[in-house]
Amino acid sequence: MPSMLDAVVVGAGPNGLTAAAELARRGFSVAVFEAKGTVGGGARTEELTLPGFRHDPCAAAHPLGIGSPAFQNLPLGRYGLEWLQSELPMAHPFLDGTAAVLSRSVAETAASFGPHDAGAYRRLVAPFVGKWDTLVRDFMSLPLTALPRDPVTLARFGLAGLPPASWLLRQRFRDDRARTLFTGLVAHVIAPLGGLATSAVGLVFALAAHEKGWPVARGGSQAISDALAAYLKDLGAAVHTDFEIKRLDDLPPARAYVFDTSPTALARIAGLGGFYDHYRYGASVFKIDYALDGPVPWTADAPRRATTVQVGADSREVGEALRIASRTDHAPDAPFLITVQPSLVDPSRAPEGKHVFWAYGHVPNGWDGDLTDAIERQLERFAPGFRDRVLARATAGPPELAARNANYIGGDIACGAASGLQLLLRPKLSLHPYRTPHPAIFLCSSATPPGPGVHGMSGHNAAKAVWRRLRAS
Ligand SMILES: Cc1cc2nc3c(=O)[nH]c(=O)nc-3n(C[C@H](O)[C@H](O)[C@H](O)COP(=O)(O)OP(=O)(O)OC[C@H]3O[C@@H](n4cnc5c(N)ncnc54)[C@H](O)[C@@H]3O)c2cc1C
């Protein structure tokens, strides 16, 4: 290791690894320090239940990963990353045995919303279909990290996406099928539906399905992190695991320090005082990883063909579950569930004929109850006989999630509430969210734009701020 490194990255989540890779491929000397025994943060894979069952303790579905401009710029395929797609990207079953879907085809998606809303959906997404690569790059590079490539489409997207999702759903749709599916999409970032720009959240997920699909990574999400780490090592960067950073002095001398941590931890480690005291953390989840004796026995056909399945009876139930988790101190009786069934398309994840499956429901930050029964009651409504297929389960509520990853404060898996202005402008109202009051210290975690998800774009954007400074000094 040189005596003075160009950059040190704290935390080997997708954003930390991406920031390190972006710097190393530009010739800067880089070292990464990760508290846990393996790299990956929220993109890891482990045998959590029984031998041969490979679970993703955190992220499993990657609509934002496959469509990420940051990942597309890196040779991750050469380092073993392979995306696997199910026939349908996502399905949302109803109690009558039918389902709304997000299909690669806009027409099939629209048809699943019923005759009244099919046209409205087509009109909503039409201006953006076929423009994902420029739109997502422009949107995910806000604020001010790159000049928009297609400012007209970005402005149009801003107009469509800026209103609260609750307003968009009332204006656009007459029936509950589209409303329910779309409400669920917004819930992926645990954003209250009445919040500014929540329409954009739903639109991004829907467009991702049409343009790129919602794949899983072959072998599990660890494959994303391992590909990033292997590329980094080939570039000559060092990656240290089992190395928790508590103070800046724990790190070797460097010209820049890049933190893939919560703003709160960064302020504590780097002595930034109360700089991020205003930053709010949001609701958490209760997550269950299942080893199953067979596929989930969904009543509807569509969820049997989709790796991601949303579970919630109607838009009222989904919205209410989100409201209870975000605004009260108790858990919903009928939680809205996001579920992923990776072994539908990846037999390497479980012994022959068996399956891995994960489900989580939203709960308040810091909640320490057990949501297992409520989650399984909810699953049984849409997949009767589910419980009979369970061979083993591993549960994790807010305290366990927080222990797994220091970035999940109170179990907040988004590393900061995605509500109010904080949905878009995080961690501060600033044109330079990756910078801190210390000129050599930067933040690159999902507490910065574009926010939560395994896409590496916060790391990519932060790296730009870092190399501009390194080149200027
Ligand atoms: C249950 C769950 C399900 C999810 N599902 C999805 C999904 O399906 N799709 C999706 O796109 N996203 C999903 N996410 C969100 C996604 O995992 C995160 O948004 C993403 O991992 C954020 O990346 P990051 O690099 O900012 O931080 P993280 O992935 O959280 O990584 C931060 C890393 O920094 C390390 N670290 C923290 N402090 C220190 C320190 N002081 N010293 C050294 N190391 C430190 C941590 O150990 C961790 O490895 C899910 C998250 C959870 C928890």
Side-chain angles (χ1 to χ4, degrees):
M1 216 189 272
S3 56
M4 170 70 101
L5 287 159
D6 289 316
V8 159
V9 177
V10 177
N15 284 315
L17 292 170
T18 303
E22 293 288 8
L23 292 166
R25 73 203 276 249
R26 284 172 178 78
F28 296 109
S29 55
V30 180
V32 180
F33 292 84
E34 164 58 44
K36 298 293 170 182
T38 54
V39 297
R44 283 196 168 98
T45 305
E46 287 169 48
E47 280 190 353
L48 287 173
T49 54
L50 301 172
F53 289 83
R54 302 209 30 89
H55 303 275
D56 293 326
C58 305
H62 297 290
L64 303 177
I66 190 174
S68 158
F71 288 174
Q72 279 167 12
N73 270 341
L74 302 174
L76 302 183
R78 226 195 296 146
Y79 292 89
L81 174 60
E82 192 186 339
W83 300 116
L84 298 175
Q85 304 267 10
S86 50
E87 195 185 323
L88 289 168
M90 203 275 279
H92 191 127
F94 299 113
L95 288 169
D96 65 1
T98 66
V101 301
L102 278 181
S103 156
R104 298 300 294 271
S105 146
V106 173
E108 188 184 3
T109 304
S112 80
F113 295 155
H116 293 309
D117 288 337
Y121 182 75
R122 277 197 302 271
R123 284 191 294 282
L124 176 66
V125 296
F128 313 113
V129 170
K131 297 183 176 172
W132 172 269
D133 287 326
T134 43
L135 176 64
V136 82
R137 181 190 169 282
D138 290 347
F139 180 67
M140 287 187 156
S141 300
L142 291 173
L144 278 194
T145 43
L147 284 177
R149 286 189 183 171
D150 181 354
V152 175
T153 305
L154 182 63
R156 237 178 140 169
F157 184 75
L159 282 179
L162 216 53
S166 50
W167 182 88
L168 177 125
L169 297 181
R170 264 196 320 273
Q171 294 293 314
R172 294 271 180 171
F173 301 119
R174 282 170 56 188
D175 288 346
D176 205 49
R177 298 172 72 87
R179 283 186 186 152
T180 308
L181 179 138
F182 206 91
T183 302
L185 292 180
V186 178
H188 283 246
V189 299
I190 326 184
L193 290 176
L196 204 65
T198 42
S199 299
V201 175
L203 271 172
V204 164
F205 282 120
L207 290 169
H210 301 319
E211 305 272 51
K212 300 285 181 185
W214 283 34
V216 295
R218 184 187 291 281
S221 297
Q222 187 74 49
I224 304 170
S225 312
D226 287 351
L228 282 162
Y231 177 48
L232 260 177
K233 283 181 187 159
D234 269 5
L235 291 169
V239 180
H240 306 276
T241 50
D242 279 321
F243 205 128
E244 185 187 352
I245 303 304
K246 295 191 170 131
R247 301 173 324 143
L248 223 43
D249 293 351
D250 296 338
L251 293 166
R255 295 167 65 210
Y257 298 89
V258 190
F259 282 79
D260 185 13
T261 65
S262 70
T264 312
L266 166 59
R268 191 177 58 243
I269 294 166
L272 300 179
F275 187 66
Y276 293 116
D277 277 359
H278 67 285
Y279 192 70
R280 289 174 293 109
Y281 294 91
S284 177
V285 304
F286 190 94
K287 164 112 188 312
I288 311 183
D289 284 284
Y290 289 99
L292 298 182
D293 200 16
V296 178
W298 302 106
T299 306
D301 169 63
R304 297 169 185 238
R305 299 182 283 127
T307 38
T308 302
V309 180
Q310 295 182 170
V311 178
D314 50 39
S315 61
R316 194 206 52 76
E317 184 180 287
V318 176
E320 184 61 2
L322 194 59
R323 188 194 67 77
I324 291 173
S326 317
R327 301 260 161 83
T328 76
D329 60 1
H330 58 276
D333 287 337
F336 165 64
L337 306 182
I338 297 173
T339 76
V340 186
Q341 30 192 18
S343 42
L344 211 60
V345 291
D346 185 359
S348 78
R349 302 292 295 277
E352 205 183 332
K354 316 282 186 221
H355 284 270
V356 287
F357 174 69
W358 81 220
Y360 69 68
H362 301 114
V363 295
N365 189 291
W367 187 76
D368 64 358
D370 185 350
L371 204 67
T372 307
D373 186 51
I375 287 179
E376 294 184 359
R377 267 190 281 115
Q378 188 71 317
L379 286 167
E380 285 281 340
R381 292 168 79 196
F382 301 88
F386 171 79
R387 275 192 170 116
D388 300 336
R389 300 249 161 122
V390 177
L391 297 171
R393 52 175 79 70
T395 62
E400 292 80 19
L401 290 168
R404 245 179 221 176
N405 185 335
N407 288 21
Y408 305 152
I409 294 189
D412 173 0
I413 68 170
C415 194
S419 60
L421 286 179
Q422 214 176 264
L423 173 62
L424 293 177
L425 300 168
R426 46 203 283 141
K428 264 189 166 325
L429 239 176
S430 162
L431 289 176
H432 304 287
Y434 311 98
R435 295 191 203 158
T436 71
H438 191 303
I441 295 178
F442 298 83
L443 182 63
C444 76
S445 69
S446 59
T448 60
V454 174
H455 44 64
M457 281 302 289
S458 303
H460 171 93
N461 294 342
K464 268 190 197 170
V466 177
W467 80 64
R468 281 177 187 151
R469 180 183 147 77
L470 289 177
R471 284 183 180 150
S473 61

